Amino acid sequence: PAERRVRIENRNGRTRVLGEDRDDVLVRTAKRARAESTDAAQEVLGEIRIVGRESGGTLSLEVETPRKWNRHAHAHVEVRVPRGTQVDVQANNGKVCVEGLRANVSARSTNGAVRVTDIVGDIDIETSNAKVCCSCTCGRLAARSSNGKIELDEHRGSVDASTSNGMIRASVDEMGNDGVVLATSNGRIVLELPEEVDAEVDIRVDNGVIRTLRDLSSRNAESAGRVRGRLGRGGTQIKLRTSNGTVSLR
């Protein structure tokens, strides 16, 4: 695609996208089927296909699998793209992995974990009933999970992450202009910051403990469940919220 944008929809199976030093797009598929007989399973395998469409500079890949009550099929897909390709993945019942890109990434998954590695670009992730893992990323990062933990390692840039039921652990090597916002309704939060950082810190806990290994100037403990203070010269916002759990600032 001229604008290097790829969208992938996989209803049932794992999806992996790798950025490489190449000019084309390579798609590989591993098909699996279960049915009442060998012949029926072979028939189901033949019905699994990938439909590709190109429109307005965007290449869309849709994995079509048959849906019958006594026959089950899924397809694991691996897509290798140029590193500068913007990627949008939508998946059901399968893990999503994206790595090695120098462009924006969007990933949506239902009942499947999302893992993003070695990305330079803005990242937008949303999953339900599974965890989110990011490592070696740079850019604005937004992560949402309805029932799973979120782990962020070696990130450079802004972070906005929340989950309804699970812990959040984030390691930020360099702060972005939009700061860091971490929130969970039921779980602990651990935030690791670089040695030197300028930020305004606001931590709230409804039922839990606040632990900080950083010296906060202008520290203000308004109540047993809230601590505010400043790191360095202040400025960038750090907001940490949990309704039930411990918050640790390191």
Side-chain angles (χ1 to χ4, degrees):
E3 297 183 2
R4 300 194 174 221
R5 184 188 301 270
V6 173
R7 292 177 178 170
I8 304 166
E9 183 178 347
N10 189 359
R11 296 190 183 95
N12 199 22
R14 295 192 303 268
T15 304
R16 186 185 184 198
V17 183
L18 296 92
E20 296 181 331
D21 297 326
R22 63 189 307 137
D23 296 324
D24 60 347
V25 175
L26 175 64
V27 181
R28 292 172 175 163
T29 307
K31 303 178 182 180
R32 299 288 186 272
R34 187 171 71 243
E36 67 276 12
S37 67
T38 301
D39 290 342
Q42 288 293 337
E43 180 182 344
V44 173
L45 286 175
E47 294 175 354
I48 300 173
R49 62 180 188 144
I50 296 180
V51 179
R53 302 181 181 88
E54 189 169 2
S55 176
T58 297
L59 174 63
S60 299
L61 302 172
E62 181 180 355
V63 182
E64 295 184 349
T65 55
R67 297 181 180 182
K68 297 179 181 179
W69 70 270
N70 62 339
R71 298 181 179 184
H72 304 277
H74 61 267
H76 303 318
V77 179
E78 180 181 275
V79 183
R80 296 176 180 262
V81 301
R83 292 192 187 279
T85 304
Q86 296 186 42
V87 170
D88 182 352
V89 180
Q90 298 186 25
N92 293 328
N93 303 317
K95 184 178 180 180
V96 175
C97 297
V98 183
E99 57 186 280
L101 295 175
R102 301 297 178 261
N104 297 343
V105 173
S106 175
R108 302 282 186 274
S109 177
T110 302
N111 298 324
V114 176
R115 180 181 295 275
V116 174
T117 305
D118 186 22
I119 301 296
V120 179
D122 294 342
I123 300 169
D124 187 3
I125 299 173
E126 186 173 338
T127 184
S128 59
N129 303 318
K131 66 180 180 179
V132 174
C133 296
C134 300
S135 62
C136 301
T137 50
C138 179
R140 292 177 178 168
L141 194 160
R144 301 284 183 272
S145 178
S146 62
N147 189 27
K149 66 181 179 179
I150 297 175
E151 296 182 342
L152 314 175
D153 287 314
E154 299 182 54
H155 179 70
R156 291 181 292 130
S158 306
V159 178
D160 185 352
S162 65
T163 180
S164 61
N165 187 27
M167 72 165 288
I168 300 177
R169 183 180 62 80
S171 173
V172 178
D173 291 348
E174 182 180 327
M175 294 278 289
N177 293 332
D178 293 334
V180 175
V181 178
L182 307 178
T184 177
S185 61
N186 187 29
R188 63 191 180 100
I189 294 176
V190 178
L191 174 60
E192 299 178 1
L193 295 171
E195 185 174 346
E196 296 183 3
V197 61
D198 300 318
E200 302 288 344
V201 178
D202 188 350
I203 304 174
R204 292 184 183 181
V205 175
D206 294 334
N207 183 26
V209 178
I210 298 175
R211 296 172 180 164
T212 174
L213 301 180
R214 297 300 186 102
D215 294 327
L216 298 175
S217 61
S218 305
R219 178 164 176 161
N220 180 15
E222 297 184 354
S223 64
R226 186 174 188 184
V227 170
R228 293 190 297 174
R230 178 174 298 165
L231 291 171
R233 295 171 295 179
T236 306
Q237 298 293 316
I238 295 177
K239 296 182 180 181
L240 311 177
R241 305 282 189 271
T242 181
S243 58
N244 188 28
T246 299
V247 175
S248 299
L249 179 63
R250 302 172 181 172

